[in-house]
Amino acid sequence: MEELLDLINSETYFMIDIDGVCIDTEQRIAIIAKAMGWKEAFKSIDWHKHISSSQQIRNSIDILKEVQHQLKRIQLLTQNHTKEEEFEKIAYFRNNGVYIPIISVPPKVNKSVVVPPSFYDGNVVLIDDKEKNVVEWNNAGGIGVHFSEGNTSESLVRVKSLEFLRKVK
């Protein structure tokens, strides 16, 4: 966490992934996809049931609710595979008291294409559980951070929770 705090300043923006960072949707979709494949899983999921029954990961929702009013430089940046998924994610966060803007990324589009780090002069952090997204973000000139309990490539900055946001001014 200290390594990340050294990279940010009072003007740093934060883009936080939803699936696998804030709520456990990704892990549960993977179980469904293992049985029928990803494409069929996305078609068959009841998005309301799937997202409304999600659990927060390592107090992510609680932390976002706590910091959202003093740290205005946060946005949620999430890949959505259907309009229903997008709608249900927005409803989930609003129903849980999180009013941070949510940016939707279409399937198969890099997050750095939708939100170019160069727009922020590279002073924008992406917190994502997918190492490939973090590497792409870094390659586009941003500050990519891998959200993981496990091992991360030595070249990547890693956090285990969003706890560091409580220390950002």
Side-chain angles (χ1 to χ4, degrees), residues 128-131 134 144-148 152 156-159:
D128 202 301
D129 63 308
K130 291 184 181 157
E131 196 168 317
V134 173
V145 178
H146 192 215
F147 186 89
S148 173
T152 295
L156 298 179
V157 175
R158 177 176 65 100
V159 294

Side-chain angles (χ1 to χ4, degrees), residues 95-138:
N95 291 337
N96 281 285
V98 177
Y99 302 102
I100 295 168
I102 299 173
I103 300 171
S104 182
V105 178
K108 300 180 182 169
V109 175
N110 292 342
K111 291 179 177 180
S112 61
V113 170
V114 175
V115 178
S118 60
F119 180 79
Y120 300 90
D121 296 324
N123 195 13
V124 58
V125 172
L126 171 69
I127 309 294
D128 202 301
D129 63 308
K130 291 184 181 157
E131 196 168 317
K132 125 181 146 50
N133 290 342
V134 173
V135 169
E136 288 169 355
W137 192 262
N138 286 339

Side-chain angles (χ1 to χ4, degrees), residues 83-101:
K83 285 291 179 191
E84 293 81 16
E85 178 186 11
E86 180 179 19
F87 174 82
E88 292 300 335
K89 283 179 183 175
I90 293 167
Y92 178 90
F93 279 85
R94 300 310 179 248
N95 291 337
N96 281 285
V98 177
Y99 302 102
I100 295 168

Side-chain angles (χ1 to χ4, degrees), residues 2 8 60 73 127 144:
E2 294 305 319
I8 60 179
S60 291
R73 303 178 320 270
I127 309 294

Side-chain angles (χ1 to χ4, degrees), residues 2-169:
E2 294 305 319
E3 183 180 8
L4 175 57
L5 291 173
D6 289 343
L7 294 173
I8 60 179
N9 59 47
S10 64
E11 296 178 4
T12 302
Y13 282 80
F14 300 91
M15 302 294 160
I16 300 172
D17 180 40
I18 289 178
D19 304 298
V21 175
C22 297
I23 53 178
D24 67 350
T25 47
E26 194 77 24
Q27 297 87 333
R28 294 183 301 124
I29 291 172
I31 293 167
I32 297 166
K34 190 173 183 179
M36 63 176 68
W38 286 97
K39 194 172 187 177
E40 289 304 313
F42 290 130
K43 288 182 196 173
S44 70
I45 290 173
D46 176 336
W47 288 105
H48 175 73
K49 182 178 175 184
H50 186 74
I51 292 173
S52 66
S53 65
S54 294
Q55 300 296 310
Q56 67 173 316
I57 298 173
R58 295 189 277 292
N59 298 320
S60 291
I61 303 296
D62 295 336
I63 292 167
L64 291 174
K65 279 194 323 195
E66 180 185 322
V67 304
Q68 68 184 339
H69 296 293
Q70 71 259 20
L71 188 58
K72 301 289 189 184
R73 303 178 320 270
I74 299 177
Q75 296 181 346
L76 299 172
L77 184 62
T78 185
Q79 197 128 44
N80 291 305
H81 301 87
T82 70
K83 285 291 179 191
E84 293 81 16
E85 178 186 11
E86 180 179 19
F87 174 82
E88 292 300 335
K89 283 179 183 175
I90 293 167
Y92 178 90
F93 279 85
R94 300 310 179 248
N95 291 337
N96 281 285
V98 177
Y99 302 102
I100 295 168
I102 299 173
I103 300 171
S104 182
V105 178
K108 300 180 182 169
V109 175
N110 292 342
K111 291 179 177 180
S112 61
V113 170
V114 175
V115 178
S118 60
F119 180 79
Y120 300 90
D121 296 324
N123 195 13
V124 58
V125 172
L126 171 69
I127 309 294
D128 202 301
D129 63 308
K130 291 184 181 157
E131 196 168 317
K132 125 181 146 50
N133 290 342
V134 173
V135 169
E136 288 169 355
W137 192 262
N138 286 339
N139 290 341
I143 303 165
V145 178
H146 192 215
F147 186 89
S148 173
E149 283 272 345
N151 293 332
T152 295
S153 169
E154 286 187 28
S155 63
L156 298 179
V157 175
R158 177 176 65 100
V159 294
K160 296 179 182 180
S161 79
L162 297 180
E163 183 70 34
F164 74 93
L165 290 172
R166 290 178 166 142
K167 297 180 179 184
V168 174
K169 302 289 182 227

